[in-house]
Amino acid sequence: MTRSYPPVSVFGVPTDIGASRRGASMGPEALRVAGLVEAIAARGIEVHDLGDVQGPRNPARPPVEGYRHLDEVVAWNRAVFDASTRELQAGRIPIMLGGDHCLGIGAIAAVAAHCRATGKKLRVLWLDAHADFNTREITPSGNIHGMPVACLCGLGPEPLTAMAGFTPAITADQVRQVGIRSVDPGEKRLVQEHGLDIYDMRYIDEVGMRRAIEEALDGVDADTHLHVSFDVDMLDPAIAPGTGTRVPGGINYREAQLIMEMVADTGRMGSLDLVEVNPALDKRNATARLAVDLVESLFGKSTLMRD
């Protein structure tokens, strides 16, 4: 079955402001070099590359009061929020190329505001090795790329928690996290306290990926805007070495393809983040090329004989 998609807008956010290791700032260009825009166009989808949004340089300073580079993180996320909002209002699917995962705050805040304005339900599929639910009180590093889900759920500094124009931007019951296998001790307590719905690698191993994703997508219907926030460190480092926070035991190629194809089957994906590609740590741009392959599947390219 061939599905028609709204036009797509791709924009890059070349910063590693929220991360501990430098290099994710080069991720947007690595994804372009790997053929992301051409791959989407080859699916028969109208796609525009808007170039990169602009923001402050990375000052590489230590944390201040529990946050590293807070002012710069706010500035970059505001730029993401504005770019995503423009494209959503124009009826396009925004694809935000990071950069590190702190940028999910601006992207998802924009989607949350759009859903509130249009009366749609929001479901966030958070594909990641990490829960990203740290706060200033429990963070081991002060890196804000470990905090975006907490900030979106109202836990964090006001300039980030209120970016949608209301607080919290989302509630924990709107998020499904898949691929999780690295959670800090304090973060684990907070996740349990807030009832975050997590499909970690132990659960996936026990029940299988198909059932896990069926559960994660349960309730997604014609009134739902599905936002996919894809951190490439969800993938096993053996197939995706080009990322700054590698954790062994991740999602393999076939499992990743199944996730993307099942998302495509819903026909409800309305926005996408693609983050944490770090070409400085990669081998011949393999991680970006794999990410492009998986995005093709999000837009309906099937590995099966069902087309």
Side-chain angles (χ1 to χ4, degrees), residues 3 20 47 58 67 112 115 120 124 139 153 212 229 245 263 267 277 291:
R3 178 177 289 118
S20 51
V47 56
N58 189 333
Y67 301 114
C115 286
K120 284 223 164 192
V124 176
T139 175
C153 289
S229 199
T245 46
V263 169
V277 173

Side-chain angles (χ1 to χ4, degrees), residues 4 24 66-67 80 90-91 116 181 198 210-211 224-225 229 244 277 284 291 303:
S4 63
Y67 301 114
V80 170
R116 178 172 283 202
R181 56 193 185 279
I198 293 183
R210 177 185 171 183
R211 181 169 146 197
T224 306
H225 180 115
S229 199
V277 173
R284 298 178 182 271
T303 56

